[in-house]
Amino acid sequence: MLSLAELTAYFKAREIGFEIQFFSGEFFALSFDKDFDASSIADLGGTIKIGEVKAKFPTETVKEAFLKKNKQAQKQIIESLASSGLVDGMAKSSEKILFGVSVYCTENTLRALSGGIQRFVGSTVKDELADLGKKSKFMGFSNDRKLAQLSHVEVLKKNLVENKAEVLFCIGRTETWVATTIAVHNPFEFQKRDIYKPNQRKIFGMPPRLARIMVNLSSCMPGKVLLDPFCGVGTILQEALLERAMVVGMDVNPWCVKAASENLEWLVREYGLEDADFRVLQGDVNKLVEKIGQETMDCIVCEPDLGPALRQVPTGPYAEKIVLKLEPLYSGFVEQAYRALKPGGRLVLVTPYIKTRAGQAVTMPISEKLGNLGFKRVYVFSKDMFAQSAGGLDRLVGASSLVEMDERHMIGREIHIVEK
Ligand SMILES: C[S@@+](CC[C@H](N)C(=O)[O-])C[C@H]1O[C@@H](n2cnc3c(N)ncnc32)[C@H](O)[C@@H]1O
């Protein structure tokens, strides 16, 4: 849900009116008050594809068509696709048209049939193009592919966005949306910032996509001042600089200060950010206000120390010990952060989320301290963002933090968002 949280924070910061019609782990359906600029996908760390909806029908029709093989329901889907204008954009190409179909399925009963649904939609589109006198080639998949979906890399490499040639067939619990892909995440840009920057650190480094999500969660906007007082090699600072924020970094380790400065200089050259405004200071976070002054920052975004790299899943008591050892660092930092932030400023803070052998999670008990200092928790999801039909809001609305956990890792990240 981190990606949906990022989207809502991004739209709210820019006063873009939206309503969430549906959300699941597979896809979100949103409606907007006015035209939405799909190129903003480059500003988002967690959104992989954006599609423009062309047709919508009840999921019941999809079940009838594919579970019960009802000919009438299949015909309804064919007619709905035909009247949607889905192939009009593709048909403009003068050459043989290469197109693809990706199926995103939230409905368990239909999931195993995704490959068949994809081929059905593909042959419908092919027939329609043939009716318009156009030759086409459908990008089919080998049977061993787990999901009936094109990756964003395939979409990019085959120019499917420019040619309006990817169909997204998104099956929700009650409704199904059919869309044309209008933007895709460019992994090469994020990868470039990850592996081609001059200085890297394998163990402590944060992926640029997560850094961008956190920057967006902080309501960072062009011209705002963003601080990362545990900046390491500067991943968060890089992403904030690309959002045209003024950035300030700090680290206790002099090597990191040099490394982050060089990385930011590289970024400025690489992306032609002539007006970029950044500085990186050396210092201990306990002296933060002394270094940067009181009420000087709009946003503070950071990942302090998360504890030692673990080789095996720890016991509960060992995980508690790790957290206890880190607690003074976090405690001292949030006091400084409160003083450094301008009124209304936001702190986005990662604390460790440690899985234990008993299957439980040990976390940093920071909420009370934040509350006592005067911070107000920011709830990224509120009821008014969702259409009545969206359903399943309880696990989102009122969630006080977000968790990012890669199944392969033993320490995940709990992301807190608070405001002064
Ligand atoms: C988890 S790393 C941050 C990684 C960073 N996000 C990046 O992508 O490189 C934490 C950083 O906090 C710094 N640090 C630890 N204790 C500190 C302190 N008391 N004051 C300032 N920096 C500190 C470490 O030197 C380390 O670079």
Side-chain angles (χ1 to χ4, degrees):
M1 287 302 112
L2 208 50
S3 317
L4 188 59
E6 181 196 27
L7 274 180
T8 59
Y10 181 86
F11 295 142
K12 277 195 114 178
R14 286 157 185 78
E15 297 178 356
I16 298 172
F18 66 95
E19 190 173 58
I20 301 165
Q21 304 296 328
F22 177 78
F23 65 93
S24 71
E26 281 73 29
F27 70 94
F28 319 130
L30 275 74
S31 56
F32 294 92
D33 290 356
K34 41 186 184 224
D35 274 356
F36 162 63
D37 179 6
S39 68
S40 45
I41 198 161
D43 297 341
L44 299 165
T47 299
I48 300 298
K49 294 181 185 176
I50 298 179
E52 185 180 306
V53 173
K54 298 286 183 183
K56 190 171 106 172
F57 34 79
T59 294
E60 207 44 52
T61 310
V62 185
K63 286 187 187 166
E64 282 289 320
F66 298 103
L67 283 174
K68 300 191 185 155
K69 303 203 183 327
N70 178 324
K71 293 274 178 245
Q72 189 54 35
Q74 290 178 1
K75 202 168 151 226
Q76 265 178 37
I77 293 176
I78 292 172
E79 280 167 4
S80 179
L81 295 178
S83 59
S84 67
L86 195 67
V87 301
D88 295 353
M90 296 185 207
K92 293 207 173 89
S93 165
S94 55
E95 295 160 22
K96 187 171 179 179
I97 297 158
L98 176 72
F99 73 95
V101 177
S102 294
V103 177
Y104 294 85
C105 185
T106 304
E107 183 48 51
N108 280 337
T109 53
L110 286 165
R111 200 163 279 144
L113 303 177
S114 295
I117 296 174
Q118 187 220 22
R119 287 189 291 276
F120 176 90
V121 177
S123 68
T124 305
V125 169
K126 198 168 174 55
D127 290 349
E128 272 185 52
L129 286 168
D131 288 348
L132 295 170
K134 296 284 176 184
K135 281 195 181 144
S136 65
K137 184 171 182 318
F138 172 40
M139 284 176 72
F141 297 152
S142 56
N143 284 337
D144 56 358
R145 193 180 282 223
K146 263 199 187 143
L147 297 169
Q149 291 163 10
L150 294 169
S151 71
H152 47 314
V153 175
E154 287 171 306
V155 175
L156 277 176
K157 285 196 168 156
K158 301 288 180 188
N159 299 324
L160 299 188
V161 174
E162 293 83 336
N163 296 335
K164 297 192 166 58
E166 188 193 24
V167 178
L168 304 173
F169 197 88
C170 305
I171 307 169
R173 272 179 275 280
T174 56
E175 279 179 309
T176 291
W177 291 264
V178 185
T180 300
T181 306
I182 54 171
V184 282
H185 167 80
N186 188 332
F188 305 115
E189 283 300 320
F190 280 85
Q191 203 178 38
K192 178 166 91 180
R193 303 203 286 274
D194 198 15
I195 61 176
Y196 295 125
K197 63 188 175 201
N199 300 300
Q200 293 154 38
R201 259 199 325 183
K202 286 274 170 297
I203 311 175
F204 296 114
M206 172 184 266
R209 279 184 57 196
L210 180 63
R212 181 54 79 97
I213 291 175
M214 287 179 46
V215 166
N216 281 326
L217 288 172
S218 78
S219 293
C220 179
M221 291 273 286
K224 284 201 181 179
V225 191
L226 181 142
L227 164 77
D228 178 356
F230 299 91
C231 70
V233 295
T235 317
I236 292 171
L237 302 177
Q238 281 196 342
E239 296 306 308
L241 211 53
L242 284 170
E243 288 217 351
R244 304 290 195 272
M246 295 186 256
V247 306
V248 183
M250 195 168 106
D251 204 288
V252 73
N253 179 339
W255 179 84
C256 288
V257 175
K258 186 167 173 286
S261 305
E262 286 173 3
N263 282 348
L264 293 176
E265 280 155 18
W266 169 84
L267 186 90
V268 167
R269 284 195 304 276
E270 198 63 30
Y271 286 81
L273 307 172
E274 280 88 17
D275 306 332
D277 185 336
F278 68 87
R279 63 197 158 110
V280 186
L281 316 166
Q282 193 269 322
D284 190 298
V285 81
N286 288 307
K287 301 261 170 66
L288 181 63
V289 176
E290 227 173 87
K291 286 260 177 190
I292 59 161
Q294 209 148 339
E295 303 202 337
T296 47
M297 299 293 139
D298 294 299
C299 318
I300 301 181
V301 181
C302 62
E303 173 171 279
D305 203 345
L306 293 182
L310 299 174
R311 290 225 185 91
Q312 51 183 345
V313 180
T315 59
Y318 184 51
E320 300 274 5
K321 206 168 140 191
I322 296 173
V323 167
L324 203 67
K325 201 166 163 210
L326 291 172
E327 211 267 332
L329 174 71
Y330 281 79
S331 224
F333 159 60
V334 292
E335 278 175 28
Q336 294 281 321
Y338 191 80
R339 292 173 56 203
L341 275 173
K342 294 180 191 168
R346 243 182 216 199
L347 164 66
V348 177
L349 169 68
V350 173
T351 60
Y353 183 93
I354 313 179
K355 270 198 298 202
T356 67
R357 281 181 207 169
Q360 270 144 2
V362 170
T363 57
M364 174 77 63
I366 195 87
S367 299
E368 201 181 321
K369 173 96 191 177
L370 289 168
N372 289 344
L373 283 169
F375 276 118
K376 294 180 289 291
R377 211 162 256 287
V378 174
Y379 294 95
V380 274
F381 300 112
S382 55
K383 266 200 173 128
D384 60 333
M385 292 178 185
F386 295 86
Q388 270 190 345
S389 57
L393 307 190
D394 298 347
R395 69 196 165 99
L396 296 191
V397 174
S400 59
S401 65
L402 302 155
V403 174
E404 195 262 350
M405 183 95 220
D406 184 326
E407 285 310 311
R408 292 165 303 172
H409 296 158
M410 273 150 272
I411 300 193
R413 297 170 163 107
E414 186 174 12
I415 302 173
H416 306 262
I417 311 165
V418 289
E419 223 163 69
K420 179 166 173 181

